[in-house]
Amino acid sequence: MTVQIAAKADATQAAREVAVRASHVSMDFGSGALAVDDASFELEKGRFLTILGPSGSGKTTLLRMIAGFQKQTAGEITINGKAVDAAPPHRRSVGMVFQKLALFPHMTAAENVAFPLKMRRFNPRQIAGRVDQFLDLVKLGGYGDRRINELSGGQQQRVAIARALVFEPDLLLLDEPLAALDVKLREEMQLEFRRIQHELGVTTINVTHDQREALVVSDNVIVMDGGRIQQQADPVALYRAPANPFVAGFLGLSSFVEGTATADGNLKVGDLVVQGTAARRFETGAPVVAAIRAEQIRLAGTREALAACDMTLEGRVCDTIFEGERQMYVVEIGALCGATFRVYHHDPDSFGLFRVGDPVALGWNRRDLKIFSPAA
Ligand SMILES: Nc1ncnc2c1ncn2[C@@H]1O[C@H](COP(=O)(O)OP(=O)(O)OP(=O)(O)O)[C@@H](O)[C@H]1O
Ligand SMILES: [Mg+2]
């Protein structure tokens, strides 16, 4: 690899510096609800942050404000300590890749990558060498003379990444640049993003509604819903300890059951006390909701077979879906007032073991059933 960029060399020292800070940022388009509602976060230099959330949750609006394309109606955003509104977008050191790539179709790959260097009046004698370095970085060495329409979707994506990085921006912003690609190519490009970001050490903010992408590529993830930041954490912590029912439902496959809090921190559904874990104390009798992930429930023919679990109950299979690497069972649980739990079964030898209508036993451990305040 020929690209030499200083940023990575002092990555450990740089890791403690804040690159992007948003403080109480809101965007009011005047259409009722705020598109972004009181968002605050910090991103350390050299880290990879993903903003994850469903359609309309405010991801693009937040990214556009960071890029300086849109001025927030409240709060402040700083990049390397300077307020974002101090300079027009083309004067800032920000590289961007959008869902629509906006490459110049009549130019070659090399001409596209050279464009930001020409705009920034780089020494013309150094441009060709640098373009080659960055085409190498995205594994397109030798493709420089191809026109954009002679490249595949994934190759075009790589040209767009090279073009966004070639002038060594302080910050790389990505707004769902992989959304148009097929699943295989998307997964390949996610790993490419990760590799390139590691190699260059460029601070990156990526926007996506794909939870797998967020978990795979990021050091840190912000989950948004309804314009509000729901949680910010590293991928493992986010998956393991969701802050609320929205996050529990958005990452992975969770089943929910409503009830009331007991004095000893469990959940009461009808007359049954269900063991679970809560991150905070609730008043006895307060309405609560519990969530459990499909891979944390065990399934067997009898409750005796699940003796190792903290909690076991009986249910009846009401649907089964074969998903290739696993079988998903939907199980109705009479003792939980007919709530249904979705359960993953990963052992291929026992796929199809249970059929619709079969009685089954379910078991889980107390720490895996998470008790929350009901969604607002
Ligand atoms: N220019 C605008 N004028 C008025 N409302 C807007 C404008 N841009 C976005 N919105 C609204 O702000 C909210 C957030 O939009 P935004 O584009 O940030 O969502 P998103 O999370 O990027 O969604 P998606 O995943 O669909 O791209 C939406 O309700 C949207 O309709
Ligand atoms: Mg968007």
Side-chain angles (χ1 to χ4, degrees):
M1 177 48 52
T2 50
V3 176
Q4 287 162 356
I5 288 176
K8 190 66 184 174
D10 53 6
T12 25
Q13 189 204 337
R16 283 177 223 107
E17 283 175 49
V18 174
V20 180
R21 175 179 286 124
S23 317
H24 302 290
V25 170
S26 294
M27 183 69 213
D28 185 356
F29 285 115
S31 51
L34 298 178
V36 173
D37 187 354
D38 197 26
S40 296
F41 70 89
E42 279 182 3
L43 174 61
E44 284 177 359
K45 206 167 177 175
R47 308 311 294 273
F48 195 123
L49 171 74
T50 292
I51 301 172
L52 172 70
S55 185
S57 57
K59 307 180 296 294
T60 294
T61 305
L62 183 54
L63 200 73
R64 286 176 57 82
M65 291 188 291
I66 296 165
F69 291 146
Q70 205 146 46
K71 175 86 173 89
Q72 65 272 19
T73 48
E76 190 184 50
I77 299 169
T78 59
I79 298 177
N80 295 334
K82 293 201 197 88
V84 156
D85 51 344
H90 65 274
R91 299 287 293 278
R92 272 176 229 131
S93 184
V94 176
M96 293 199 70
V97 185
F98 298 99
Q99 182 171 352
K100 291 202 183 90
L101 296 177
L103 293 167
F104 304 114
H106 56 284
M107 291 186 192
T108 64
E111 285 165 351
N112 268 278
V113 177
F115 187 79
L117 299 177
K118 290 183 176 155
M119 291 290 290
R120 286 170 171 78
R121 303 195 187 290
F122 254 65
N123 180 345
R125 274 174 302 177
Q126 291 176 0
I127 289 183
R130 180 173 270 264
V131 166
D132 282 348
Q133 281 183 355
F134 277 81
L135 286 172
D136 276 350
L137 176 75
V138 296
K139 301 205 172 131
L140 281 180
Y143 285 81
D145 293 336
R146 292 268 194 106
R147 288 183 187 286
I148 295 305
N149 58 14
E150 296 167 351
L151 295 170
S152 73
Q155 289 166 338
Q156 293 181 20
Q157 216 80 30
R158 288 159 198 260
V159 174
I161 296 165
R163 191 178 64 173
L165 288 169
V166 71
F167 58 97
E168 292 182 45
D170 291 334
L171 183 61
L172 176 64
L173 302 180
L174 307 166
D175 191 358
E176 310 225 26
L178 305 180
L181 303 180
D182 69 62
V183 180
K184 265 261 182 287
L185 190 54
R186 193 160 69 224
E187 291 182 356
E188 207 177 294
M189 290 299 298
Q190 289 165 0
L191 297 176
E192 282 288 275
F193 270 143
R194 178 112 205 119
R195 174 186 66 81
I196 292 168
Q197 199 271 341
H198 274 190
E199 246 166 70
L200 298 186
V202 60
T203 312
T204 303
I205 304 181
N206 174 46
V207 159
T208 186
H209 55 256
D210 177 345
Q211 51 146 315
R212 185 186 181 281
E213 178 179 323
L215 299 177
V216 167
V217 301
S218 322
D219 299 310
N220 211 259
V221 180
I222 283 178
V223 181
M224 287 188 77
D225 186 42
R228 298 193 74 98
I229 293 181
Q230 304 291 320
Q231 190 170 1
Q232 177 174 11
D234 69 73
V236 173
L238 193 70
Y239 194 86
R240 198 181 274 166
N244 59 37
F246 176 81
V247 178
F250 198 68
L251 282 118
L253 184 73
S254 292
S255 300
F256 294 91
V257 56
E258 293 176 2
T260 53
T262 65
D264 56 355
N266 289 309
L267 169 83
K268 197 166 180 196
V269 184
D271 291 330
L272 182 75
V273 173
V274 184
Q275 292 185 25
T277 306
R280 49 161 282 207
R281 284 200 66 80
F282 293 98
E283 257 179 61
T284 306
V288 287
V289 59
I292 184 160
R293 295 197 186 283
E295 69 272 23
Q296 288 172 324
I297 305 174
R298 304 276 160 271
L299 205 57
T302 63
R303 286 172 79 173
E304 289 70 41
L306 298 171
C309 296
D310 294 340
M311 178 97 204
T312 61
L313 286 174
E314 277 156 10
R316 190 169 291 278
V317 175
C318 51
D319 202 1
T320 100
I321 296 158
F322 180 58
E323 298 180 353
E325 79 274 27
R326 66 193 173 208
Q327 178 116 23
M328 204 245 298
Y329 290 96
V330 184
V331 181
E332 187 177 357
I333 307 166
L336 294 182
C337 304
T340 55
F341 275 13
R342 292 173 293 180
V343 184
Y344 287 147
H345 212 63
H346 283 96
D347 175 12
D349 284 342
S350 54
F351 284 173
L353 196 61
F354 305 111
R355 295 175 189 281
V356 173
D358 282 355
V360 287
L362 303 112
W364 61 86
N365 289 324
R366 177 181 191 150
R367 58 149 215 265
D368 295 332
L369 188 106
K370 305 229 159 40
I371 301 174
F372 301 106
S373 299

